Amino acid sequence: MSTAQRHQEHSAENLCATGTRLYEQALRDGRVPAADAREAPCLLDFGLLQPSVEDTGLLEPVPPVVALHRLLRTSAARIAEERTRETRLAETFERLMRVDGQRTAPAETPALRLLSGTTRINEAITEAVEDARQELLCVQPNTHYSGERGEKAHLVAMERDQALLDRGGRIRTLYQHTQRHVPLVLARYEQLRGDAEARTLDEVTDRLIVVDRTVAFIPAGRDGLLALEVRHPALVSYFVTTFDRLWRLATPMYPEAAQPPSLNGITPRQQAIARLLVEGHTDAVIADRLGMNIRTARVHIAKLAATLGSDSRAQLGYLIAESGILEQDGGDGP
């Protein structure tokens, strides 16, 4: 591998460690062998070292103040060039906007906006809901309110949602079946007054919030620290359609909780697990998909195996397929 390949390109403000050490040595000693600079060609590129007049086999350091002044001058020239380009762009498009009849028109809210940090995300959601007059649609795979900070966020959300209900709006929320008996979820619907409904499914999408069918919020990362604010009509309409279809398939939780009967001794929960088992998913994936811990998932799998008389994982998949339980609609429920 050549020196050029080993030395990664970088800017002057991010001088590499090898270059920094060699430049400092040159400043202390007054000169360094030219051969030493092969590991740091950036020093010559940035004009920090220059050949010695007395001996071309040696390199002398350019004083840092001189080098800094030259680099700043180069940077200033680039900035001036960019400003000139910006001015030309503005002049060009000003003429075009004048032709379009929209000169000096205010900038519209972007169709997509990336929000960073839980505080900013919650502020944006609160602002949108405070302006809402009709409807709030939510998909909540799980609840994460814990500690003093979590309790405060829960109270803010409750006040925000109650204000929407007081304005005559309605709230529809989809949860996973595993959330049906979570005290915080149950308390929410005991406290809210107005047109608030909740339903549950075995599996739901990632978190989704749609306000008045005009703006939506979706995750933009797995850690919950990034979110997308979506105002594009086609995308928002797609989210609403997805929500409505899931809503029709879901089991009522509030105000009316339904408890479908088991099918041939197999509960709807076990039926959902059976579907994932025949697809070849591991216990961990099944637990994650259905919003439960892996121990609970294995308990359900064991009960399913006992009901079907299976002695092994491979046999269980065969018996599920043969039993016909996946071909019958036993309803979705907890």
Side-chain angles (χ1 to χ4, degrees):
M1 182 181 295
S2 67
T3 300
Q5 290 174 318
R6 288 196 299 269
H7 184 269
Q8 296 183 351
E9 293 186 6
H10 57 80
S11 57
E13 63 270 22
N14 294 312
L15 197 60
C16 64
T18 302
T20 300
R21 287 194 299 270
L22 185 59
Y23 185 51
E24 290 175 350
Q25 179 185 339
L27 290 172
R28 287 192 298 267
D29 301 342
R31 57 185 62 187
V32 293
D36 292 354
R38 292 173 185 168
E39 298 296 328
C42 56
L43 295 179
L44 290 170
D45 294 340
F46 298 145
L48 300 180
L49 293 180
Q50 60 186 7
S52 172
V53 176
E54 299 174 356
D55 186 348
T56 56
L58 297 174
L59 296 174
E60 297 177 345
V62 175
V65 65
V66 175
L68 175 62
H69 178 71
R70 177 170 44 78
L71 290 169
L72 288 176
R73 190 172 60 228
T74 302
S75 177
R78 285 199 303 267
I79 293 173
E81 182 180 349
E82 284 298 315
R83 286 176 177 168
T84 300
R85 181 172 178 269
E86 290 175 1
T87 300
R88 290 175 179 171
L89 280 170
E91 291 172 350
T92 298
F93 280 85
E94 183 182 16
R95 291 195 298 270
L96 295 174
M97 287 188 289
R98 192 160 52 240
V99 171
D100 193 39
Q102 295 180 358
R103 197 180 89 174
T104 70
E108 296 182 356
T109 303
L112 293 175
R113 185 168 60 143
L114 184 65
L115 305 173
S116 177
T118 54
T119 299
R120 182 67 193 100
I121 293 169
N122 290 332
E123 287 176 351
I125 294 172
T126 297
E127 290 170 5
V129 177
E130 286 177 347
D131 292 335
R133 291 294 180 272
Q134 301 174 8
E135 183 180 57
L136 177 63
L137 307 178
C138 303
V139 177
Q140 297 284 9
N142 44 53
T143 53
H144 292 295
Y145 295 116
S146 60
E148 182 179 349
R149 191 172 181 179
E151 291 177 4
K152 182 178 179 181
H154 174 63
L155 291 174
V156 170
M158 288 290 295
E159 292 176 2
R160 177 192 68 200
D161 294 350
Q162 185 58 59
L164 172 60
L165 294 173
D166 292 341
R167 293 193 296 271
R170 71 167 179 169
I171 297 175
R172 290 192 292 164
T173 307
L174 277 170
Y175 299 95
Q176 285 185 281
H177 287 325
T178 50
Q179 301 293 301
R180 293 180 73 93
H181 305 294
V182 173
L184 197 61
V185 174
L186 296 175
R188 167 181 169 82
Y189 293 97
E190 291 174 356
Q191 297 172 27
L192 287 176
R193 303 176 308 279
D195 189 1
E197 294 183 72
R199 296 185 181 184
T200 63
L201 282 168
D202 277 305
E203 295 185 75
V204 294
T205 64
D206 283 339
R207 192 183 186 204
L208 169 68
I209 295 176
V210 183
V211 183
D212 275 358
R213 305 197 173 207
T214 58
V215 56
F217 298 89
I218 60 174
R222 291 187 176 275
D223 56 7
L225 298 179
L226 291 174
L228 271 181
E229 179 184 286
V230 183
R231 293 182 180 272
H232 194 290
L235 290 174
V236 174
S237 176
Y238 178 85
F239 294 144
V240 171
T241 299
T242 300
F243 181 93
D244 286 340
R245 290 179 179 176
L246 291 175
W247 184 259
R248 288 194 294 270
L249 295 171
T251 301
M253 168 183 157
Y254 182 88
E256 178 185 358
Q259 183 74 25
S262 63
L263 178 66
N264 298 328
I266 297 174
T267 67
R269 172 57 50 81
Q270 292 166 3
Q271 193 175 10
I273 289 175
R275 291 192 187 97
L276 297 176
L277 280 172
V278 297
E279 292 175 10
H281 296 296
T282 64
D283 294 353
V285 171
I286 292 172
D288 182 65
R289 290 271 296 266
L290 299 182
M292 63 180 69
N293 62 53
I294 192 168
R295 181 179 301 176
T296 301
R298 286 171 175 164
V299 168
H300 283 295
I301 292 171
K303 290 180 179 178
L304 178 63
T307 301
L308 295 178
S310 171
D311 296 324
S312 67
R313 187 66 167 252
Q315 185 186 29
L316 179 57
Y318 171 79
L319 292 175
I320 290 171
E322 288 296 308
S323 67
I325 61 173
L326 301 184
E327 300 173 6
Q328 304 179 50
D329 184 11
D332 290 318

